[in-house]
């Protein structure tokens, strides 16, 4: 932060005491939902209420059963119903005469723009569906997608959905090694990737990197994007050639409501990522409803921008499926928020007249650092609603967002959800509920969230407990790909006498108004800039380096990224723990997992704190990393280890300052 107290900061300091922000009369007056009757209606019969929301989709065949809960925790929503996601996202809008509507105002890093219409998406999607089939992809086959933020990623996803081939999108920031692993785990038949990706003025040779590790797939489709030199092998197919050769029509496959729509790998408490599986009917129902009502969307007039990457669930649900189901116009930006300059987001908001903006607290904190002058240089008067997702938002960032970006007139919706939940679960409906900075809000209609203790009893309001979801919801994951046992163990085994209660993995408290204050993860998941990483995954990458004997990874609170990764590393051979090795280890982790997983700090430790049975006590390492008083050290084999680590961390802390 700047050391001089600017006018903005003074204003924010004054606002910090304000607990509630009520929707203005103007906001309430135009809102789709302006009071609490929807919550009450849904509470009476949640399944029936969701069934009414499912009618917003086009079904080829209506369902027999809304919710089949005969075999918990394996639930089926809208069983017997048939539909197609790509039909709902594209055809029906085009058939209704809205083919010329812009689905995405796309902006490239170098200033290029493309207006992507619904009609164009539909034609491309059908061609792509035919191209996939021409190369042997069938309904039920998994297709990997490793693409940057370009319109082709939407075409690729919807083409898969059209033929019922579940997609497995991997975030562009992951390494080729990670892609390979995810292709293996999901038994992908084909991969759709790109010649090169641009990042801050540089071009990464993506296809080369993919080739270097070798992908276990039959066909690799390559989108030509940057024109960077791109070797093509026997099993490689240019995307544009395959699409040109394909017929422009492919009927949408009528798929069962429970047909898998996609797999998305996410980090859990072990090194192996979890293949979270989402199906079609329930997921689309929840995503369409939440996108419409949480953002109070008017598809005729709004211009919506979610700044996430399609490689995360936020991109799946709120860049691709939600906005397209609702037929709205979105902005898609290829680049980083600080390239070509730190005001690019606001420049694009002004240029396209963005009305709804959805981003993550970590991005808001970065913008705060860059200064209020940057948004002030642009006309942001079209904005009317702001959203936040990915991690708890600290009140100061909330207020800055509200005041500086939203001009004090736009409601801020803080949306709590997870890859597993498919769609938003806890938030405030902007025309109906007050916002409280720092609290995500209340469960949405039809969602039953509770804060429980270790034994499964509700904790009194105001006290911290474990977040739980007590009733199945339509967008919930259905299983972990080919790992039903892990699905049950991870999510439905915390409270054995409540076999249908879903264990979230977050700590939270509820206040007297029923608002939820999420504190953070209780498992070994780290949230760096809203990106989920597992400590075990990072540890196993570090110990794979020849110089390392042992490593323990913990999270440390971080002003900018929410949490940061700290690695305690014990070396094996002769090499000394110096700056060169530190850099080498960080690059090693980048190559194994991706740059996002590089530890912010590495602490060389002659030994790690272990119990007498040899278990590493991460709790103590977290205390050290965050500079807290150490908890109980009496169970340690060698308590002196902690003193040594404390000294080291403190010494480095001084250097950093
Ligand atoms: C955290 C991202 C507080 C939480 C959609 C959750 C949040 C994890 C919020 C899921 C929020 C997400 N307030 N915490 N509004 N949104 N989280 O799977 O710890 O990448 O469990 O899904 O992010 O991360 P995931």
């Amino acid at each position: 932060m700047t050391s001089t107290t600017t006018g903005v900061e003074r204003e924010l300091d004054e606002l910090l005491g304000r607990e509630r922000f009520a929707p203005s009369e103007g906001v309430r007056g135009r809102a789709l939902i302006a009071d609490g009757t929807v919550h009450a209606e849904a509470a009476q019969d949640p399944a029936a209420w969701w069934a009414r929301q499912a009618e917003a989709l086009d079904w080829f065949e209506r369902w027999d059963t809304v919710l089949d809960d005969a075999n918990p925790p394996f639930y089926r929503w809208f069983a017997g119903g048939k539909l197609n996601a790509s039909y709902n996202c594209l055809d029906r809008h085009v058939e209704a005469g809205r083919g010329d509507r812009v689905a995405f105002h796309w902006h490239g890093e170098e200033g290029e723009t493309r207006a992507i219409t619904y009609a164009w998406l539909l034609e491309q999607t059908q061609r792509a569906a035919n191209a996939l089939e021409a190369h042997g992809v069938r309904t039920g086959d998994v297709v990997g997608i490793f693409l940057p933020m370009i319109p082709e990623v939407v075409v690729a996803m919807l083409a898969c959905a059209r033929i019922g081939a579940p997609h497995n999108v991997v975030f562009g920031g992951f390494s080729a090694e990670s892609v390979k692993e995810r292709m293996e785990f999901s038994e992908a038949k084909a991969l759709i990737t790109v010649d090169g990706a641009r990042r801050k003025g540089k071009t990464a040779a993506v296809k080369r990197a993919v080739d270097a590790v070798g992908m276990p797939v039959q066909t690799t489709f390559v989108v030509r994007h940057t024109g960077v030199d791109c070797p093509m092998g026997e099993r490689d197919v240019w995307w544009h050639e395959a699409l040109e050769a394909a017929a422009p029509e492919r009927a949408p496959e009528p798929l069962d409501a429970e047909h898998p729509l996609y797999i998305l790998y996410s980090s859990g408490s072990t090194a192996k990522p979890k293949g979270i599986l989402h199906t079609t009917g329930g997921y689309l129902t929840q995503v369409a409803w939440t996108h419409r009502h949480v953002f109070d969307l008017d598809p005729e007039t709004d211009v919506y921008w979610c700044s996430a990457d399609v490689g995360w669930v936020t991109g799946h649900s709120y860049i691709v499926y939600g906005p397209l189901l609702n037929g709205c116009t979105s902005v898609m930006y290829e680049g980083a928020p600080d390239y070509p300059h730190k005001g690019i987001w606001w420049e694009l908001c002004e240029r396209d007249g963005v009305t709804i903006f959805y981003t993550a607290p970590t991005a808001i904190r970065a913008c705060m650092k860059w200064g209020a002058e940057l948004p002030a240089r642009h006309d942001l008067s079209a904005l009317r609603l702001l959203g936040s997702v990915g991690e708890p938002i600290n009140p100061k960032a909330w207020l800055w967002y509200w005041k500086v970006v939203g001009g004090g007139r736009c409601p801020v919706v803080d949306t709590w959800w997870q890859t597993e939940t498919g769609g938003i679960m806890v938030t405030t409906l902007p025309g109906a509920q007050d916002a409280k900075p720092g609290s995500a809000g209340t469960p949405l209609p039809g969602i039953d969230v509770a804060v429980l203790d270790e034994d499964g009893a509700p904790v009194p309001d105001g006290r911290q407990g474990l977040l739980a979801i007590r009733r199945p919801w339509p967008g919930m994951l259905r299983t972990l790909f080919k790992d039903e046992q892990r699905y049950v163990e991870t999510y439905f085994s915390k409270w054995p006498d409540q076999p249908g209660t879903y264990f979230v993995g977050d700590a939270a408290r509820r206040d007297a108004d029923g608002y939820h204050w999420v504190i953070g993860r209780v498992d070994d998941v780290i949230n760096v800039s809203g990106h989920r990483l597992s400590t075990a995954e990072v540890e196993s990458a570090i110990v794979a380096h020849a110089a390392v004997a042992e490593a323990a990874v913990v999270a440390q609170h971080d002003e900018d990224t929410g949490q940061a990764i700290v690695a305690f590393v014990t070396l094996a051979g002769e090499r000394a723990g110096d700056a060169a090795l530190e850099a080498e280890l960080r690059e090693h982790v980048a190559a194994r997992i991706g740059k996002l997983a590089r530890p912010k700090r590495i602490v060389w430790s002659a030994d790690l704190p272990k119990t007498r049975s040899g278990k590493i006590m991460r709790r103590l390492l977290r205390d050290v990393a965050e500079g807290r008083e150490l908890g109980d050290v009496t169970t340690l084999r060698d308590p002196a280890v902690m003193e040594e680590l404390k000294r080291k961390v403190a010494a480095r802390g001084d250097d950093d300052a």
Side-chain angles (χ1 to χ4, degrees), residues 266 276 312-314 358 361 388-393 414-421 426 438 440 504-506 518-521 525 527 530-532:
S266 183
I276 291 164
W312 304 104
V313 75
T314 305
Y358 190 29
S388 173
V389 60
E391 49 176 320
I393 181 165
D414 177 3
T415 62
W416 177 89
W417 57 296
Q418 308 179 289
T419 309
E420 290 87 342
T421 68
V426 175
V504 164
D506 282 1
V518 175
I519 291 146
R521 303 287 309 188
V525 170
N527 191 331
H531 297 162
R532 242 169 97 165

Side-chain angles (χ1 to χ4, degrees), residues 524-557:
D524 295 319
V525 170
I526 305 188
N527 191 331
V528 183
S529 302
H531 297 162
R532 242 169 97 165
L533 291 161
S534 112
T535 55
E537 202 175 350
V538 181
E539 281 168 10
S540 88
I542 295 175
V543 298
H545 190 284
V548 174
E550 200 169 32
V553 164
V554 298
Q556 178 185 44
H557 174 76

Side-chain angles (χ1 to χ4, degrees), residues 12 346 357-360 364 368 385-388 393 396-408 412-413:
L12 294 188
W346 319 122
F357 187 64
Y358 190 29
T359 193
I364 299 166
M368 281 171 78
L385 196 126
L386 302 171
S388 173
I393 181 165
K396 186 132 190 204
W398 193 104
L399 290 167
W400 192 91
Y401 198 28
W402 180 79
K403 180 82 201 168
V404 175
V405 178
V412 175
V413 290

